[in-house]
Amino acid sequence: MNLLIGSHVSFKKDTQLLGSAMEAISYGENCFMFYTGAPQNTTRMMIDKTLTEEALQYMKDHHIEKGNVIVHAPYIINLANNQNIDSWNFAIQFLKQEIERCEALHMSKLVLHPGSSVKLPKEVGIQNIIDALNQVITKNQTVSILLETMAGKGTEIGTTFEEIKQIIDGIHYNEHVMVCLDTCHIHDAGYDLNDIDEILEQFDQIIGIDKLGCIHINDSKNDCGAHKDRHANIGYGKIGFENLLSIIYHEKLKEVPKILETPYVGETMEDKKRLYPPYRFEIEMILNKKENEHFLSDIISYYKKD
Ligand code: FE
Ligand code: FE
Ligand code: ZN
C-alpha cells in the first residue's frame, strides 16, 4: 500500500506506544497519531523504555515507519493568552516536557493547536504564541512542532495560512516548525475543498508545501466557513467523499501521513450508547475509492462479535 493512512489511537498506561501501534495495525494502518495521556488534561505518565523498544520493533515488523507516527499535544494548553501568567508559564513547561517525552518515544512530530487569544487582541495572541514557542524550541531538538490549522471557533488563532506563516516567521529556530492541515478545520475556516489544487497552491505560496508534515482527514458536520469544528465520518459531512479522496490521493501529498480523527459510531442498547471505532471501515472505503452503504451496520456487526 502506497498511501500513508492511519488514525488517532489510544495510548494506555500499561501498553503505551506498543498498545497504540497494535491498535493501528488492527485497523489496517501504516501510520497513526496519539496523545501521551488524556487530550483534555495534562496528567502524564513516565515513558517506559522497554515498552518503547518493543513498540519500535513491532512497528518495524509491521512496516510502520516511526517518522510517520504523530504525537498530539493536549488541547487545553493555550500559548496565545497570558492574562494568567502562571497557566501560560505552565503551558510552556508542559510543552518542553512533552518534547522530551516525544524524544524518549523516538517520535519526531508533535501537533499543537496554536491557541485562543480569548480577551486579548488577536495580534497580541499571535505574539504570545511566538514568545512561548521561542522559549520551547531549541536549536538542536529532534522534534518538529506542527502548528494545526484551526476552524476559527471562538477566538482561535491559526485559521488562515497567513496567520500560521506569521507565527512561523517569528520563531528563531523555525526549521523545527511545520504545519498540520486539518480538512474539517480549513473547511470550517472558509477554504472551499471543491478546489484542492487552489488551496495547495495558496499553501505553497504562503507557507511552502515542504512545511506540510501531517494532514488530518475529517469530514465536517457544518457548512464551509461555519467556524464550528465538528468532525463527521468520511462521506457523511459537508466536504464529501470525493473531495476528501482528491486530497488523500493528491500527487503532491504522497509523503505526508494522513490521519483520521472522525467520530466513533454506534447504537443505543438498553439506554446505553455503545460506540465503536470507524477507522478500519473508513480506510477500507478510502482504499476501494468507493463509499460503503452498509458502513454503520458493518461496523456494529464487526465489533459486536467480541
Ligand atoms: Fe488537533
Ligand atoms: Fe485535527
Ligand atoms: Zn477539530
Side-chain angles (χ1 to χ4, degrees), residues 182 185 229 231:
D182 185 311
H185 296 178
D229 191 5
H231 301 185

mmCIF file of all heavy atoms in Angstrom, residues 182 185 229 231, ligand 3:
data_model
loop_
_atom_site.group_PDB
_atom_site.id
_atom_site.type_symbol
_atom_site.label_atom_id
_atom_site.label_comp_id
_atom_site.label_asym_id
_atom_site.label_seq_id
_atom_site.Cartn_x
_atom_site.Cartn_y
_atom_site.Cartn_z
ATOM 1 N N ASP A 182 -5.799 20.362 8.786
ATOM 2 C CA ASP A 182 -6.977 19.573 9.150
ATOM 3 C C ASP A 182 -8.096 19.929 8.171
ATOM 4 O O ASP A 182 -8.510 21.086 8.088
ATOM 5 C CB ASP A 182 -7.359 19.899 10.603
ATOM 6 C CG ASP A 182 -8.505 19.049 11.122
ATOM 7 O OD1 ASP A 182 -9.528 18.936 10.423
ATOM 8 O OD2 ASP A 182 -8.372 18.490 12.232
ATOM 9 N N HIS A 185 -11.146 21.526 9.720
ATOM 10 C CA HIS A 185 -10.857 22.876 10.215
ATOM 11 C C HIS A 185 -10.742 23.897 9.075
ATOM 12 O O HIS A 185 -11.305 24.992 9.188
ATOM 13 C CB HIS A 185 -9.568 22.887 11.039
ATOM 14 C CG HIS A 185 -9.653 22.060 12.286
ATOM 15 N ND1 HIS A 185 -8.582 21.909 13.140
ATOM 16 C CD2 HIS A 185 -10.669 21.344 12.828
ATOM 17 C CE1 HIS A 185 -8.951 21.128 14.156
ATOM 18 N NE2 HIS A 185 -10.201 20.763 13.980
ATOM 19 N N ASP A 229 -16.072 23.507 13.914
ATOM 20 C CA ASP A 229 -15.204 22.397 14.316
ATOM 21 C C ASP A 229 -15.956 21.202 14.884
ATOM 22 O O ASP A 229 -15.772 20.826 16.037
ATOM 23 C CB ASP A 229 -14.133 22.874 15.320
ATOM 24 C CG ASP A 229 -13.063 21.810 15.550
ATOM 25 O OD1 ASP A 229 -13.095 20.756 14.879
ATOM 26 O OD2 ASP A 229 -12.189 22.042 16.408
ATOM 27 N N HIS A 231 -16.350 17.309 13.703
ATOM 28 C CA HIS A 231 -15.902 16.328 12.712
ATOM 29 C C HIS A 231 -17.028 15.358 12.358
ATOM 30 O O HIS A 231 -17.833 15.005 13.211
ATOM 31 C CB HIS A 231 -14.723 15.513 13.257
ATOM 32 C CG HIS A 231 -13.538 16.350 13.637
ATOM 33 N ND1 HIS A 231 -12.347 15.804 14.046
ATOM 34 C CD2 HIS A 231 -13.339 17.685 13.659
ATOM 35 C CE1 HIS A 231 -11.482 16.765 14.315
ATOM 36 N NE2 HIS A 231 -12.064 17.929 14.099
HETATM 37 ZN ZN ZN B 3 -11.164 19.529 15.210
#
